[in-house]
Amino acid sequence: QPLQFYTLGLTPILFKMATLTLAKVSELAPGSDIRELTVLEASGKDFEKIDDLSPCVELKRLNLAKNKLAVLTGIAHNESLTYLNISNNRLRSLNGVGRMFKLRVLNASHNQLVHVNHIVPLHGATTCSLAFPDFSPFPLSVAENELESMPHVKGSLGF
């Protein structure tokens, strides 16, 4: 849905929200079947919203850095992800990351994060930067945010 804004002369100016859709995924990975796509490079495209990308069932690496995303709802069901770069967006929370049990690398730096309540403990990680109680640690970058809390995080944090 385009948004309408009016100037002082009441002439409508139409702005359309840039959305990462399945059609855009096909454009970004020409010739690929979206059901078999394993890597998607979508950084710096000014996306403000993500449609449901759950048909990308084999997606392992997703780069959404340098966009204008405020929420991650469109990738909440991409449970095969092992690498997610969501740096340099407008995120205030990590809602939508909670079901990504295979995630090993998460870069959420340079956002507007105020809490990270929705990160699940992840198994099988290979590098440690944060430790969750009773689970393996995984690499996480949350630099340049304004975090108020990180529940369930044990140990010292390096920002």
Side-chain angles (χ1 to χ4, degrees), residues 7-152:
T7 62
L8 292 176
L10 299 179
T11 305
I13 300 173
L14 299 180
F15 294 97
K16 192 166 186 164
M17 185 178 289
T19 303
L20 178 57
T21 61
L22 290 175
K24 291 276 186 194
V25 169
S26 294
E27 288 175 22
L28 292 169
S32 298
D33 181 339
I34 61 168
R35 294 168 298 190
E36 297 174 1
L37 187 66
T38 58
V39 177
L40 180 60
E41 174 61 48
S43 65
K45 305 291 184 191
D46 290 329
F47 292 126
E48 298 175 68
K49 182 180 172 197
I50 307 169
D51 276 354
D52 181 14
L53 298 185
S54 62
C56 303
V57 293
E58 296 296 323
L59 193 59
K60 306 268 188 262
R61 292 180 60 91
L62 178 57
N63 186 353
L64 293 169
K66 299 179 182 174
N67 281 291
K68 298 176 182 175
L69 299 171
V71 295
L72 296 173
T73 53
I75 60 170
H77 299 289
N78 292 90
E79 298 175 20
S80 293
L81 284 175
T82 59
Y83 173 93
L84 178 60
N85 186 346
I86 50 175
S87 65
N88 294 285
N89 277 284
R90 297 176 179 169
L91 300 170
R92 295 187 52 79
S93 77
L94 293 179
N95 293 356
V97 178
R99 297 182 62 180
M100 298 176 187
F101 296 104
K102 296 180 181 179
L103 197 63
R104 297 186 188 204
V105 176
L106 172 62
N107 184 349
S109 62
H110 299 275
N111 275 287
Q112 299 166 4
L113 295 176
V114 292
H115 60 85
V116 286
N117 296 336
H118 299 280
I119 295 180
V120 296
L122 306 170
H123 299 277
T126 56
T127 308
C128 174
S129 64
L130 291 180
F132 288 83
D134 304 320
F135 291 91
S136 298
F138 70 103
L140 170 67
S141 174
V142 290
E144 301 297 323
N145 284 290
E146 297 178 13
L147 291 172
E148 295 172 356
S149 67
M150 288 188 75
H152 312 298

